[in-house]
């Protein structure tokens, strides 16, 4: 099996796996005052520092969550005020789009979706038009798109937001652990992430909240004072420790790893497009995450191609929307037809991807697309 679905979940890093196993062999609630509890709390503090180091922030600005979906919900529910704009884009992850629609349900005119071009780039110039008529509010734009890998220039968005007195949130789920992050340089107030995207365990994530941001606590879970009132419930000690270990491992040699993965991604694209010259790569080629490529195979249903190459793990789009009867909202917003969106596969690579996997996947993709096309042609032939 060649694994090309890192955007859904990355293989757990050896350092994170070892940390989780060790933590699960210990007992202790991090809120308890006895020795085992204090030891658990100490290890949580270490993980908080490890994650803060990856983000370039203070440990006290980290709120642990169950993942980026919860972090996105916390962020937008805290930042939005009725009567002020909530500005986002139509290519955001459903965890942002659906939350944005939910919090603006009582004032739907407050929700503003910025235009997106055929390369998947959000029109940040439109922010000036939005804030010409409004002040305050919140801008929520993803750092990197989960389907195409296209990057957003958050510094441009933050500058426009600051001039209008608006807060800035970014869903950085696909960005963290793959490219260097400095929250001060990005100038964001809130940042969401999930551990399993950069080699940590599933079911744990975090929300960065800039110190001094004028945000009330609007917890989704109540019944305890954990995480400074942002989230009630016993801390997932093993998951948090695993996330910290993954963050520390990801931070080591991040630039070199990004270069290596970019080269592997480019080689996969070269091999596939050479063998199948009518296929198309979606998204701005020079402004993408290192290990993501979205490829359309015109006239060939993506699900049939995936079924024809069971030894390659890839995705039709966001794993969070798998099984949905509608095509990718991201690709439709970029102007692709429904037929082309249904013929698109996302391949996402990461820290453990090898040259051998690239060569194997390229052969498997070429063979699968050719087989499916032949089968379709035969089915449509003379009867």
């Amino acid at each position: 099996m060649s694994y090309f679905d890192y955007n859904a979940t990355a293989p757990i890093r050896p350092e994170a796996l070892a940390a989780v196993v060790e933590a699960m062999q210990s007992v202790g609630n991090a809120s308890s005052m006895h020795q085992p509890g204090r030891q658990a709390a100490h290890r949580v503090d270490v993980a908080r520092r490890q994650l803060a180091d990856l983000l370039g922030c203070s440990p006290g600005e980290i709120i642990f969550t169950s993942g980026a979906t919860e972090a996105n919900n916390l962020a937008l529910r805290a930042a939005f005020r009725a009567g002020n704009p909530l500005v986002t884009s139509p290519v955001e992850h459903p965890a942002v789009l659906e939350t944005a629609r939910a919090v603006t349900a009582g004032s739907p005119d407050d929700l503003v979706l910025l235009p997106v071009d055929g390369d998947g780039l959000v029109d940040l110039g439109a922010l000036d038009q939005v804030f010409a008529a409004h002040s305050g509010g919140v801008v929520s734009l993803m750092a990197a798109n989960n389907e195409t890998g296209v990057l957003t220039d958050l510094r441009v968005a933050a500058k426009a937001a600051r001039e209008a007195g608006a807060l800035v949130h970014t869903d950085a789920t696909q960005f963290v652990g793959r490219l260097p992050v400095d929250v001060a340089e990005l100038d964001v107030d809130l940042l969401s992430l999930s551990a399993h995207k950069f080699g940590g365990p599933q079911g744990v994530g975090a929300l960065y909240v800039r110190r001094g941001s004028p945000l009330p606590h609007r917890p989704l879970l109540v019944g305890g004072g954990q995480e400074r009132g942002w989230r009630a419930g016993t801390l997932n000690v093993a998951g948090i420790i695993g996330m910290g270990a993954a963050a520390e491992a990801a931070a080591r040699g991040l630039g070199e790893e990004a270069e290596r993965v970019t080269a592997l991604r480019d080689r996969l694209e070269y091999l596939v497009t050479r063998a199948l010259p009518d296929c198309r790569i979606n998204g701005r080629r020079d402004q993408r995450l290192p290990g993501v490529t979205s490829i359309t195979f015109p006239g060939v249903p993506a699900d049939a191609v995936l079924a024809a190459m069971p030894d390659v793990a890839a995705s039709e789009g966001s794993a969070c929307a798998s099984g949905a009867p509608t095509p990718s909202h991201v690709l439709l917003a970029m102007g692709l037809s429904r037929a082309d969106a249904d013929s698109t596969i996302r391949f996402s690579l990461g820290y453990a991807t090898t040259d051998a996997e690239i060569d194997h996947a390229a052969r498997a993709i070429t063979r699968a697309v050719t087989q499916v096309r032949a089968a379709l042609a035969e089915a449509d032939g003379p009867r």
Side-chain angles (χ1 to χ4, degrees):
M1 171 65 68
S2 293
Y3 188 77
F4 287 89
D5 210 10
Y6 279 68
N7 279 23
T9 194
I12 191 165
R13 293 177 184 264
E15 299 90 340
L17 178 59
V20 170
V21 171
E22 182 184 358
M24 294 186 73
Q25 292 173 335
S26 302
V27 66
N29 185 318
S31 297
S32 298
M33 298 306 295
H34 48 59
Q35 184 179 5
R38 292 197 302 272
Q39 289 174 340
H42 171 71
R43 300 191 69 182
V44 167
D45 289 341
V46 170
R48 205 183 298 269
R49 285 199 303 273
Q50 290 170 318
L51 185 58
D53 288 343
L54 183 63
L55 301 181
C57 68
S58 165
E61 295 173 306
I62 298 291
I63 305 296
F64 290 127
T65 67
S66 63
T69 294
E70 182 185 352
N72 288 331
N73 271 265
L74 283 173
L76 295 186
R77 292 176 189 278
F80 175 68
R81 299 286 181 280
N84 293 318
L86 193 167
V87 186
T88 186
S89 84
V91 296
E92 299 295 311
H93 191 278
V96 166
L97 281 175
E98 293 182 19
T99 303
R101 293 185 181 112
V103 300
T104 60
S107 53
D109 290 343
D110 291 339
L111 180 59
V112 179
L113 298 181
L114 299 176
V116 176
D117 68 15
D119 285 331
L121 292 173
V122 178
D123 182 3
L124 300 179
L127 283 169
D128 293 332
Q129 301 173 19
V130 173
F131 290 124
H134 303 89
S135 61
V138 57
V139 175
S140 178
L141 295 171
M142 64 195 336
N145 189 270
N146 55 299
E147 292 192 30
T148 64
V150 172
L151 305 175
T152 301
D153 193 338
L154 292 172
R155 288 170 292 189
V156 172
K159 183 176 184 295
R162 296 295 173 220
E163 291 173 352
L167 296 167
V168 182
H169 164 254
T170 184
D171 177 356
T173 308
Q174 301 294 348
F175 195 100
V176 172
R178 298 184 182 181
L179 288 172
V181 178
D182 186 327
V183 290
E185 183 180 344
L186 295 178
D187 196 21
V188 296
D189 299 287
L190 300 144
L191 180 148
S192 305
L193 62 90
S194 276
H196 69 109
K197 305 297 187 181
F198 55 89
Q202 295 178 341
V204 64
L207 174 66
Y208 156 78
V209 182
R210 173 185 262 171
R211 181 179 286 110
S213 295
L215 293 168
H217 296 171
R218 292 206 165 102
L220 299 172
L221 303 175
V222 296
Q226 292 88 347
E227 293 304 278
R228 303 195 309 281
W230 279 87
R231 184 183 197 270
T234 301
L235 292 180
N236 175 5
V237 175
I240 289 168
I241 290 171
M243 177 165 60
E248 184 175 76
R252 291 195 298 265
L254 188 58
E256 294 83 354
E257 183 176 291
E259 290 181 8
R260 186 187 73 84
V261 173
T262 296
L264 291 174
R265 188 270 316 276
D266 291 348
R267 175 169 170 76
L268 177 65
E269 290 181 342
Y270 168 76
L271 293 173
V272 172
T273 55
R274 185 181 66 175
L276 302 166
D278 64 334
C279 70
R280 299 192 303 272
I281 296 171
N282 302 303
R284 181 68 174 263
R285 302 283 288 273
D286 61 349
Q287 196 169 326
R288 289 182 296 167
L289 280 174
V292 182
T293 181
S294 169
I295 307 179
T296 298
F297 303 96
V300 186
D303 56 353
V305 175
L306 291 171
M309 52 178 194
D311 53 349
V312 175
S315 172
E316 291 184 66
S318 171
C320 301
S322 62
T326 56
S328 160
H329 70 282
V330 171
L331 298 178
L332 294 181
M334 291 169 57
L336 272 70
S337 67
R338 175 168 183 147
D340 279 350
D342 283 336
S343 300
T344 299
I345 299 177
R346 180 192 68 188
F347 301 92
S348 47
L349 300 60
Y351 75 93
T353 305
T354 65
D355 291 284
E357 284 184 298
I358 295 296
D359 294 339
H360 171 252
R363 290 192 298 269
I365 294 164
T366 301
R367 183 172 59 248
V369 171
T370 302
Q371 288 176 352
V372 172
R373 279 184 173 156
L376 291 173
E378 182 178 351
D380 292 338
R383 297 180 181 276

